[in-house]
Amino acid sequence: MAELVPGHVRVDRLRRRMIATQIVGAVVILLLALAPYVFVPAVTSQWIKLFYLITLATVWNLLAGYAGMVSVGQQAYIGLGAYGIFVFNDLGVNPYAGALVASVAIGVIAFGLSFVAFRLRGGYFAIGTWVIAEAVRQVVVRFDSLGAGRGRSIADYTEDPVMRNLFTYWLALGILAATLIATLFLLRSRMGVALQSIRDNEVAARALGIHVGRAKRIVFVIAGIGAGLAGSVISLQQLGVQSPNQIFSVSFSAFMVFMVLIGGIGTIEGPIVGAVVYYVMDLYFSQMGLWYTSARWACGTSRCSVCWRSS
Amino acid sequence: MTPPTATAEALLEVDGLAKSYGALDVLTGVDLAVPAGQALGIVGPNGAGKSTLLSVINGTERATRGVVRFAGRDVTSVSPADRARAGMGRTFQIPRPFTHLTVFENALAGASYGAGLHGHAADMRALEALEMADMLDVANAPAGSLPLLGRKRLELARALATEPRLLLLDEIAGGLTEAECDSLIATIRQLHGEGITIIWIEHVVKALTAVVERLVCLATGVIVADGPPDEVMRSAEVQRVYLGGGL
């Protein structure tokens, strides 16, 4: 959207030429919500992975692409989201509602952890977040009630596998829609300008009145909540956690980096494109083993070199 | 030498301001009172501590010792963001544009946060600031694509967007052509006419003397001369720090 202003200068505000995209997005999400009435559960349950991948890529892009915080420790919140299901399920909360309750708790935890992580900058911040994720894993495996180091299944769950799939599908889609809407809203608000200012130059951002720490903390908490919700979906889909090493794996961060870089960092649509590319590659080529892994990283590396050369 | 307008109420006061980086003492005790509405120029050789003084005033750097008072309030331990919101605008000697945002969005950051405006009011303030800095024609260009002079003007536009009561300018005229310099002087003179208090560091003395009514010379972290511009430029002390002791 362009605005006509005094002096007859048209100003493009925050790349607001996306109304059509938003309408298309809303229609796509609506169609996806109705998809289980058309497709068999075997098909729709595969899409759950795509939904949480887009969620993960979007929140990582918010962190790194918009606020300049390159975290490789988002698996901390994925793991907490997955384990949060058990904690609240054991207290008698329905596992789907448990995902939402856990996300609130994760927001509080991320807020607390931000005070540790924000003591570090740049590369040290990246490594610091990884160390924090490891520490979180170490704490979680201390609890026998959470399966200690062995992983655990959800105790009290919807019996009917079709309904189970359907609920997980809608939850994953709802989380994805909420993440995308929250991201759009955040970037359209003054906060969007503040975050990008901080990413480009913190000192100048401060001198213009932007509370850098506060803005970063808000994004850090939102990214933690998003990753936590994705973790809950993973746990619901797998009916539990196979092992803490899997759910707290740094590979999740590697995938997030891959998806965001492939699609285009610092753009709203980039993580969606990247997640779709990754999902398709994973779906069709993952049987190819090492060749697939090599090709994926070659693809990621070449995309990065293009990005950095052009920036 | 006493400041010529020391009787008026000071908008900015610094007392015994010192800043050290490890063993390096950059400022060793600066006392300065700037009355509201005054345009003050600061000159001094390279390494005199001029930029550091601005940084300590606006909070980008913490003072090692001393006090900064702004509008009667002690802001020594106040964050630079809150000082900006209180009315301190600042430009940087080496421009620090938000390269991935457009020129307009750069100014919008200042209008939204420094001036605390929302929605349409923030847009209008950003555009006003761009107009004052003569940047409306490049409003939609990414700030990263600006040449050096454009970046310098953007520094001014962004600071103006915060609706400052005190404008701290750090070598904004350096590297400009004569015509550009004249247009900048006219802009700053206009801002001064609107009652904005200005502290301006500049090597281009001609630009300074065309606007400021008071000049301070800083050398090795202390003020060595303070007074009307022509008096200060003629003073033996200033000639000594610029040209060495042989004169």
PDB file of all heavy atoms in Angstrom, chain B residues 108-143:
ATOM      1  N   LEU B 108      11.023   6.989  10.543  1.00  0.00           N
ATOM      2  CA  LEU B 108       9.852   6.536  11.301  1.00  0.00           C
ATOM      3  C   LEU B 108      10.260   5.949  12.658  1.00  0.00           C
ATOM      4  O   LEU B 108       9.544   6.108  13.657  1.00  0.00           O
ATOM      5  CB  LEU B 108       9.079   5.493  10.480  1.00  0.00           C
ATOM      6  CG  LEU B 108       7.734   5.045  11.032  1.00  0.00           C
ATOM      7  CD1 LEU B 108       6.761   6.205  11.117  1.00  0.00           C
ATOM      8  CD2 LEU B 108       7.137   3.945  10.153  1.00  0.00           C
ATOM      9  N   ALA B 109      11.412   5.281  12.683  1.00  0.00           N
ATOM     10  CA  ALA B 109      11.905   4.720  13.950  1.00  0.00           C
ATOM     11  C   ALA B 109      12.079   5.845  14.964  1.00  0.00           C
ATOM     12  O   ALA B 109      11.678   5.718  16.129  1.00  0.00           O
ATOM     13  CB  ALA B 109      13.218   3.973  13.725  1.00  0.00           C
ATOM     14  N   GLY B 110      12.659   6.957  14.521  1.00  0.00           N
ATOM     15  CA  GLY B 110      12.856   8.095  15.417  1.00  0.00           C
ATOM     16  C   GLY B 110      11.545   8.721  15.841  1.00  0.00           C
ATOM     17  O   GLY B 110      11.350   9.061  17.013  1.00  0.00           O
ATOM     18  N   ALA B 111      10.618   8.852  14.880  1.00  0.00           N
ATOM     19  CA  ALA B 111       9.330   9.488  15.183  1.00  0.00           C
ATOM     20  C   ALA B 111       8.499   8.611  16.122  1.00  0.00           C
ATOM     21  O   ALA B 111       7.824   9.107  17.025  1.00  0.00           O
ATOM     22  CB  ALA B 111       8.565   9.755  13.890  1.00  0.00           C
ATOM     23  N   SER B 112       8.547   7.296  15.907  1.00  0.00           N
ATOM     24  CA  SER B 112       7.724   6.377  16.702  1.00  0.00           C
ATOM     25  C   SER B 112       8.233   6.252  18.130  1.00  0.00           C
ATOM     26  O   SER B 112       7.438   6.161  19.062  1.00  0.00           O
ATOM     27  CB  SER B 112       7.726   4.981  16.071  1.00  0.00           C
ATOM     28  OG  SER B 112       7.218   5.028  14.771  1.00  0.00           O
ATOM     29  N   TYR B 113       9.546   6.196  18.292  1.00  0.00           N
ATOM     30  CA  TYR B 113      10.088   5.942  19.622  1.00  0.00           C
ATOM     31  C   TYR B 113      10.591   7.205  20.304  1.00  0.00           C
ATOM     32  O   TYR B 113      10.119   7.547  21.380  1.00  0.00           O
ATOM     33  CB  TYR B 113      11.153   4.846  19.544  1.00  0.00           C
ATOM     34  CG  TYR B 113      10.503   3.517  19.298  1.00  0.00           C
ATOM     35  CD1 TYR B 113      10.253   3.074  18.005  1.00  0.00           C
ATOM     36  CD2 TYR B 113      10.064   2.736  20.357  1.00  0.00           C
ATOM     37  CE1 TYR B 113       9.592   1.877  17.774  1.00  0.00           C
ATOM     38  CE2 TYR B 113       9.401   1.542  20.140  1.00  0.00           C
ATOM     39  CZ  TYR B 113       9.174   1.109  18.853  1.00  0.00           C
ATOM     40  OH  TYR B 113       8.511  -0.057  18.637  1.00  0.00           O
ATOM     41  N   GLY B 114      11.522   7.914  19.657  1.00  0.00           N
ATOM     42  CA  GLY B 114      12.076   9.119  20.281  1.00  0.00           C
ATOM     43  C   GLY B 114      10.990  10.146  20.554  1.00  0.00           C
ATOM     44  O   GLY B 114      10.914  10.725  21.642  1.00  0.00           O
ATOM     45  N   ALA B 115      10.113  10.376  19.545  1.00  0.00           N
ATOM     46  CA  ALA B 115       9.049  11.362  19.725  1.00  0.00           C
ATOM     47  C   ALA B 115       7.800  10.722  20.341  1.00  0.00           C
ATOM     48  O   ALA B 115       6.879  11.430  20.741  1.00  0.00           O
ATOM     49  CB  ALA B 115       8.700  12.003  18.387  1.00  0.00           C
ATOM     50  N   GLY B 116       7.759   9.389  20.388  1.00  0.00           N
ATOM     51  CA  GLY B 116       6.634   8.682  21.012  1.00  0.00           C
ATOM     52  C   GLY B 116       5.323   8.835  20.260  1.00  0.00           C
ATOM     53  O   GLY B 116       4.257   8.808  20.864  1.00  0.00           O
ATOM     54  N   LEU B 117       5.396   8.994  18.944  1.00  0.00           N
ATOM     55  CA  LEU B 117       4.173   9.183  18.159  1.00  0.00           C
ATOM     56  C   LEU B 117       3.664   7.856  17.607  1.00  0.00           C
ATOM     57  O   LEU B 117       4.419   6.899  17.454  1.00  0.00           O
ATOM     58  CB  LEU B 117       4.449  10.145  16.995  1.00  0.00           C
ATOM     59  CG  LEU B 117       4.881  11.560  17.400  1.00  0.00           C
ATOM     60  CD1 LEU B 117       5.354  12.330  16.182  1.00  0.00           C
ATOM     61  CD2 LEU B 117       3.736  12.291  18.087  1.00  0.00           C
ATOM     62  N   HIS B 118       2.368   7.823  17.288  1.00  0.00           N
ATOM     63  CA  HIS B 118       1.761   6.612  16.742  1.00  0.00           C
ATOM     64  C   HIS B 118       1.104   6.914  15.403  1.00  0.00           C
ATOM     65  O   HIS B 118       0.705   8.049  15.143  1.00  0.00           O
ATOM     66  CB  HIS B 118       0.706   6.062  17.702  1.00  0.00           C
ATOM     67  CG  HIS B 118       1.285   5.545  18.977  1.00  0.00           C
ATOM     68  ND1 HIS B 118       1.486   4.211  19.217  1.00  0.00           N
ATOM     69  CD2 HIS B 118       1.737   6.199  20.075  1.00  0.00           C
ATOM     70  CE1 HIS B 118       2.027   4.060  20.422  1.00  0.00           C
ATOM     71  NE2 HIS B 118       2.189   5.255  20.953  1.00  0.00           N
ATOM     72  N   GLY B 119       0.956   5.869  14.605  1.00  0.00           N
ATOM     73  CA  GLY B 119       0.149   5.928  13.388  1.00  0.00           C
ATOM     74  C   GLY B 119       0.471   7.096  12.476  1.00  0.00           C
ATOM     75  O   GLY B 119       1.638   7.347  12.149  1.00  0.00           O
ATOM     76  N   HIS B 120      -0.581   7.826  12.112  1.00  0.00           N
ATOM     77  CA  HIS B 120      -0.451   8.896  11.134  1.00  0.00           C
ATOM     78  C   HIS B 120       0.478  10.010  11.638  1.00  0.00           C
ATOM     79  O   HIS B 120       1.286  10.558  10.876  1.00  0.00           O
ATOM     80  CB  HIS B 120      -1.845   9.469  10.831  1.00  0.00           C
ATOM     81  CG  HIS B 120      -1.852  10.469   9.721  1.00  0.00           C
ATOM     82  ND1 HIS B 120      -1.485  10.128   8.425  1.00  0.00           N
ATOM     83  CD2 HIS B 120      -2.134  11.789   9.704  1.00  0.00           C
ATOM     84  CE1 HIS B 120      -1.568  11.204   7.668  1.00  0.00           C
ATOM     85  NE2 HIS B 120      -1.966  12.225   8.416  1.00  0.00           N
ATOM     86  N   ALA B 121       0.386  10.314  12.921  1.00  0.00           N
ATOM     87  CA  ALA B 121       1.224  11.382  13.485  1.00  0.00           C
ATOM     88  C   ALA B 121       2.703  11.036  13.325  1.00  0.00           C
ATOM     89  O   ALA B 121       3.520  11.899  13.001  1.00  0.00           O
ATOM     90  CB  ALA B 121       0.873  11.594  14.951  1.00  0.00           C
ATOM     91  N   ALA B 122       3.028   9.755  13.535  1.00  0.00           N
ATOM     92  CA  ALA B 122       4.425   9.315  13.390  1.00  0.00           C
ATOM     93  C   ALA B 122       4.856   9.427  11.933  1.00  0.00           C
ATOM     94  O   ALA B 122       5.957   9.897  11.627  1.00  0.00           O
ATOM     95  CB  ALA B 122       4.580   7.880  13.895  1.00  0.00           C
ATOM     96  N   ASP B 123       3.979   9.001  11.014  1.00  0.00           N
ATOM     97  CA  ASP B 123       4.285   9.109   9.579  1.00  0.00           C
ATOM     98  C   ASP B 123       4.582  10.557   9.209  1.00  0.00           C
ATOM     99  O   ASP B 123       5.561  10.861   8.523  1.00  0.00           O
ATOM    100  CB  ASP B 123       3.087   8.652   8.728  1.00  0.00           C
ATOM    101  CG  ASP B 123       2.846   7.157   8.823  1.00  0.00           C
ATOM    102  OD1 ASP B 123       3.647   6.488   9.493  1.00  0.00           O
ATOM    103  OD2 ASP B 123       1.864   6.672   8.241  1.00  0.00           O
ATOM    104  N   MET B 124       3.703  11.452   9.683  1.00  0.00           N
ATOM    105  CA  MET B 124       3.844  12.857   9.318  1.00  0.00           C
ATOM    106  C   MET B 124       5.129  13.449   9.878  1.00  0.00           C
ATOM    107  O   MET B 124       5.818  14.213   9.216  1.00  0.00           O
ATOM    108  CB  MET B 124       2.633  13.667   9.817  1.00  0.00           C
ATOM    109  CG  MET B 124       1.320  13.313   9.142  1.00  0.00           C
ATOM    110  SD  MET B 124       1.419  13.179   7.349  1.00  0.00           S
ATOM    111  CE  MET B 124       1.572  14.886   6.900  1.00  0.00           C
ATOM    112  N   ARG B 125       5.447  13.079  11.113  1.00  0.00           N
ATOM    113  CA  ARG B 125       6.679  13.595  11.719  1.00  0.00           C
ATOM    114  C   ARG B 125       7.905  13.093  10.935  1.00  0.00           C
ATOM    115  O   ARG B 125       8.847  13.847  10.691  1.00  0.00           O
ATOM    116  CB  ARG B 125       6.769  13.165  13.186  1.00  0.00           C
ATOM    117  CG  ARG B 125       8.007  13.633  13.887  1.00  0.00           C
ATOM    118  CD  ARG B 125       8.085  15.154  13.937  1.00  0.00           C
ATOM    119  NE  ARG B 125       9.455  15.602  14.156  1.00  0.00           N
ATOM    120  CZ  ARG B 125       9.862  16.859  14.045  1.00  0.00           C
ATOM    121  NH1 ARG B 125       9.006  17.807  13.694  1.00  0.00           N
ATOM    122  NH2 ARG B 125      11.102  17.181  14.275  1.00  0.00           N
ATOM    123  N   ALA B 126       7.872  11.814  10.547  1.00  0.00           N
ATOM    124  CA  ALA B 126       8.993  11.247   9.790  1.00  0.00           C
ATOM    125  C   ALA B 126       9.162  12.004   8.475  1.00  0.00           C
ATOM    126  O   ALA B 126      10.282  12.342   8.073  1.00  0.00           O
ATOM    127  CB  ALA B 126       8.757   9.762   9.534  1.00  0.00           C
ATOM    128  N   LEU B 127       8.037  12.297   7.827  1.00  0.00           N
ATOM    129  CA  LEU B 127       8.111  13.006   6.544  1.00  0.00           C
ATOM    130  C   LEU B 127       8.601  14.441   6.725  1.00  0.00           C
ATOM    131  O   LEU B 127       9.401  14.938   5.930  1.00  0.00           O
ATOM    132  CB  LEU B 127       6.732  12.996   5.869  1.00  0.00           C
ATOM    133  CG  LEU B 127       6.347  11.622   5.315  1.00  0.00           C
ATOM    134  CD1 LEU B 127       4.877  11.583   4.972  1.00  0.00           C
ATOM    135  CD2 LEU B 127       7.193  11.282   4.100  1.00  0.00           C
ATOM    136  N   GLU B 128       8.132  15.086   7.789  1.00  0.00           N
ATOM    137  CA  GLU B 128       8.606  16.443   8.083  1.00  0.00           C
ATOM    138  C   GLU B 128      10.122  16.447   8.252  1.00  0.00           C
ATOM    139  O   GLU B 128      10.816  17.323   7.721  1.00  0.00           O
ATOM    140  CB  GLU B 128       8.007  16.912   9.414  1.00  0.00           C
ATOM    141  CG  GLU B 128       6.770  17.787   9.300  1.00  0.00           C
ATOM    142  CD  GLU B 128       6.187  18.026  10.686  1.00  0.00           C
ATOM    143  OE1 GLU B 128       6.958  18.339  11.623  1.00  0.00           O
ATOM    144  OE2 GLU B 128       4.970  17.844  10.823  1.00  0.00           O
ATOM    145  N   ALA B 129      10.599  15.450   9.007  1.00  0.00           N
ATOM    146  CA  ALA B 129      12.038  15.373   9.263  1.00  0.00           C
ATOM    147  C   ALA B 129      12.797  15.155   7.956  1.00  0.00           C
ATOM    148  O   ALA B 129      13.851  15.748   7.726  1.00  0.00           O
ATOM    149  CB  ALA B 129      12.334  14.248  10.253  1.00  0.00           C
ATOM    150  N   LEU B 130      12.237  14.305   7.082  1.00  0.00           N
ATOM    151  CA  LEU B 130      12.893  14.063   5.791  1.00  0.00           C
ATOM    152  C   LEU B 130      12.901  15.333   4.949  1.00  0.00           C
ATOM    153  O   LEU B 130      13.876  15.624   4.251  1.00  0.00           O
ATOM    154  CB  LEU B 130      12.176  12.938   5.031  1.00  0.00           C
ATOM    155  CG  LEU B 130      12.315  11.535   5.595  1.00  0.00           C
ATOM    156  CD1 LEU B 130      11.580  10.532   4.711  1.00  0.00           C
ATOM    157  CD2 LEU B 130      13.778  11.130   5.723  1.00  0.00           C
ATOM    158  N   GLU B 131      11.814  16.076   5.053  1.00  0.00           N
ATOM    159  CA  GLU B 131      11.728  17.322   4.298  1.00  0.00           C
ATOM    160  C   GLU B 131      12.783  18.315   4.797  1.00  0.00           C
ATOM    161  O   GLU B 131      13.484  18.931   4.000  1.00  0.00           O
ATOM    162  CB  GLU B 131      10.324  17.903   4.430  1.00  0.00           C
ATOM    163  CG  GLU B 131      10.031  18.974   3.396  1.00  0.00           C
ATOM    164  CD  GLU B 131       8.545  19.277   3.303  1.00  0.00           C
ATOM    165  OE1 GLU B 131       7.815  18.948   4.250  1.00  0.00           O
ATOM    166  OE2 GLU B 131       8.141  19.845   2.283  1.00  0.00           O
ATOM    167  N   MET B 132      12.888  18.416   6.121  1.00  0.00           N
ATOM    168  CA  MET B 132      13.878  19.339   6.705  1.00  0.00           C
ATOM    169  C   MET B 132      15.295  18.968   6.276  1.00  0.00           C
ATOM    170  O   MET B 132      16.132  19.826   6.042  1.00  0.00           O
ATOM    171  CB  MET B 132      13.793  19.308   8.231  1.00  0.00           C
ATOM    172  CG  MET B 132      12.641  20.118   8.791  1.00  0.00           C
ATOM    173  SD  MET B 132      12.811  20.245  10.579  1.00  0.00           S
ATOM    174  CE  MET B 132      11.582  19.095  11.133  1.00  0.00           C
ATOM    175  N   ALA B 133      15.548  17.659   6.164  1.00  0.00           N
ATOM    176  CA  ALA B 133      16.893  17.217   5.777  1.00  0.00           C
ATOM    177  C   ALA B 133      17.012  17.070   4.264  1.00  0.00           C
ATOM    178  O   ALA B 133      18.019  16.551   3.775  1.00  0.00           O
ATOM    179  CB  ALA B 133      17.214  15.900   6.464  1.00  0.00           C
ATOM    180  N   ASP B 134      15.978  17.504   3.549  1.00  0.00           N
ATOM    181  CA  ASP B 134      15.983  17.478   2.084  1.00  0.00           C
ATOM    182  C   ASP B 134      16.169  16.053   1.548  1.00  0.00           C
ATOM    183  O   ASP B 134      17.000  15.797   0.689  1.00  0.00           O
ATOM    184  CB  ASP B 134      17.093  18.407   1.564  1.00  0.00           C
ATOM    185  CG  ASP B 134      16.889  18.732   0.085  1.00  0.00           C
ATOM    186  OD1 ASP B 134      15.758  18.563  -0.404  1.00  0.00           O
ATOM    187  OD2 ASP B 134      17.869  19.141  -0.571  1.00  0.00           O
ATOM    188  N   MET B 135      15.384  15.125   2.075  1.00  0.00           N
ATOM    189  CA  MET B 135      15.529  13.726   1.671  1.00  0.00           C
ATOM    190  C   MET B 135      14.237  13.121   1.144  1.00  0.00           C
ATOM    191  O   MET B 135      14.157  11.909   0.942  1.00  0.00           O
ATOM    192  CB  MET B 135      15.994  12.884   2.863  1.00  0.00           C
ATOM    193  CG  MET B 135      17.346  13.241   3.369  1.00  0.00           C
ATOM    194  SD  MET B 135      18.054  11.861   4.262  1.00  0.00           S
ATOM    195  CE  MET B 135      18.768  10.905   2.943  1.00  0.00           C
ATOM    196  N   LEU B 136      13.216  13.944   0.928  1.00  0.00           N
ATOM    197  CA  LEU B 136      11.916  13.392   0.510  1.00  0.00           C
ATOM    198  C   LEU B 136      12.021  12.613  -0.794  1.00  0.00           C
ATOM    199  O   LEU B 136      11.349  11.599  -0.980  1.00  0.00           O
ATOM    200  CB  LEU B 136      10.894  14.518   0.346  1.00  0.00           C
ATOM    201  CG  LEU B 136      10.087  14.895   1.578  1.00  0.00           C
ATOM    202  CD1 LEU B 136       9.057  15.935   1.230  1.00  0.00           C
ATOM    203  CD2 LEU B 136       9.411  13.671   2.196  1.00  0.00           C
ATOM    204  N   ASP B 137      12.897  13.068  -1.689  1.00  0.00           N
ATOM    205  CA  ASP B 137      12.997  12.404  -2.997  1.00  0.00           C
ATOM    206  C   ASP B 137      13.569  11.001  -2.910  1.00  0.00           C
ATOM    207  O   ASP B 137      13.386  10.209  -3.830  1.00  0.00           O
ATOM    208  CB  ASP B 137      13.823  13.269  -3.964  1.00  0.00           C
ATOM    209  CG  ASP B 137      15.175  13.638  -3.378  1.00  0.00           C
ATOM    210  OD1 ASP B 137      15.266  13.725  -2.136  1.00  0.00           O
ATOM    211  OD2 ASP B 137      16.135  13.808  -4.145  1.00  0.00           O
ATOM    212  N   VAL B 138      14.251  10.671  -1.819  1.00  0.00           N
ATOM    213  CA  VAL B 138      14.800   9.313  -1.689  1.00  0.00           C
ATOM    214  C   VAL B 138      14.092   8.539  -0.573  1.00  0.00           C
ATOM    215  O   VAL B 138      14.606   7.540  -0.087  1.00  0.00           O
ATOM    216  CB  VAL B 138      16.326   9.320  -1.435  1.00  0.00           C
ATOM    217  CG1 VAL B 138      17.070   9.726  -2.684  1.00  0.00           C
ATOM    218  CG2 VAL B 138      16.696  10.218  -0.265  1.00  0.00           C
ATOM    219  N   ALA B 139      12.887   8.992  -0.192  1.00  0.00           N
ATOM    220  CA  ALA B 139      12.181   8.395   0.951  1.00  0.00           C
ATOM    221  C   ALA B 139      12.010   6.880   0.834  1.00  0.00           C
ATOM    222  O   ALA B 139      12.086   6.163   1.823  1.00  0.00           O
ATOM    223  CB  ALA B 139      10.819   9.064   1.115  1.00  0.00           C
ATOM    224  N   ASN B 140      11.824   6.387  -0.393  1.00  0.00           N
ATOM    225  CA  ASN B 140      11.578   4.951  -0.557  1.00  0.00           C
ATOM    226  C   ASN B 140      12.823   4.131  -0.838  1.00  0.00           C
ATOM    227  O   ASN B 140      12.750   2.913  -1.012  1.00  0.00           O
ATOM    228  CB  ASN B 140      10.565   4.732  -1.682  1.00  0.00           C
ATOM    229  CG  ASN B 140       9.202   5.260  -1.310  1.00  0.00           C
ATOM    230  OD1 ASN B 140       8.770   5.105  -0.180  1.00  0.00           O
ATOM    231  ND2 ASN B 140       8.541   5.920  -2.252  1.00  0.00           N
ATOM    232  N   ALA B 141      13.977   4.807  -0.907  1.00  0.00           N
ATOM    233  CA  ALA B 141      15.207   4.066  -1.203  1.00  0.00           C
ATOM    234  C   ALA B 141      15.670   3.325   0.043  1.00  0.00           C
ATOM    235  O   ALA B 141      15.509   3.822   1.163  1.00  0.00           O
ATOM    236  CB  ALA B 141      16.281   5.044  -1.655  1.00  0.00           C
ATOM    237  N   PRO B 142      16.225   2.121  -0.129  1.00  0.00           N
ATOM    238  CA  PRO B 142      16.811   1.451   1.040  1.00  0.00           C
ATOM    239  C   PRO B 142      17.981   2.292   1.552  1.00  0.00           C
ATOM    240  O   PRO B 142      18.774   2.787   0.748  1.00  0.00           O
ATOM    241  CB  PRO B 142      17.315   0.119   0.486  1.00  0.00           C
ATOM    242  CG  PRO B 142      16.763  -0.002  -0.888  1.00  0.00           C
ATOM    243  CD  PRO B 142      16.421   1.370  -1.363  1.00  0.00           C
ATOM    244  N   ALA B 143      18.049   2.460   2.875  1.00  0.00           N
ATOM    245  CA  ALA B 143      19.104   3.318   3.426  1.00  0.00           C
ATOM    246  C   ALA B 143      20.492   2.796   3.062  1.00  0.00           C
ATOM    247  O   ALA B 143      21.433   3.568   2.929  1.00  0.00           O
ATOM    248  CB  ALA B 143      18.946   3.422   4.934  1.00  0.00           C
TER     249      ALA B 143
END
